[in-house]
Amino acid sequence: MTVVRSILLFVVAALFEIGGAWLIWQGWREHRGLWWIAAGVIALGAYGFVATFQPDPNFGRILAAYGGVFVAGSLAWGVIVDKFRPDRWDLIGAGICLIGVALIMYAPRSAGGS
């Protein structure tokens, strides 16, 4: 259950961070206004809190693993929201990142953590 919870937290974090950055992009680059930017700032702040609910106590490990989730999530966001079509290299790269996430977060470790 801990792995499922961790994965769900990574998904929620990605939605807040990628969504927040997208809202700021829309507000600034697409001239949609300050309300979009403000919503983006709030979403980015929420992302920071979501990471604290990860069961692993190591900030560096969580943030490093989240980097891979961010890469894959950003491509998925682009497909769903911006109708972006990733090529095979995008997909291979995202797959490699997700393998890295699995190794960093879920590989069996000894009691000493190594």
Side-chain angles (χ1 to χ4, degrees), residues 67-88:
V69 173
F70 179 81
V71 169
S74 295
L75 288 173
W77 183 279
V79 168
I80 294 165
V81 176
D82 292 329
K83 307 305 180 220
F84 169 71
R85 300 228 358 125
D87 63 23
R88 70 174 177 223

Side-chain angles (χ1 to χ4, degrees), residues 16-67:
F16 278 129
E17 186 182 19
I18 298 163
W22 183 83
L23 286 166
I24 291 170
W25 177 283
Q26 293 297 308
W28 187 257
R29 296 263 317 239
E30 303 298 327
H31 309 288
R32 295 194 177 192
L34 291 176
W35 288 111
W36 286 68
I37 294 170
V41 169
I42 291 167
L44 288 169
Y47 149 74
F49 283 100
V50 170
T52 67
F53 294 106
Q54 282 287 351
D56 191 291
N58 299 293
F59 173 79
R61 178 176 291 145
I62 291 166
L63 217 54
Y66 175 69

Side-chain angles (χ1 to χ4, degrees), residues 1-9 54-55 106:
M1 192 59 151
T2 302
V3 172
V4 172
R5 178 175 181 248
S6 174
I7 291 169
L8 289 173
L9 286 168
Q54 282 287 351
Y106 312 121

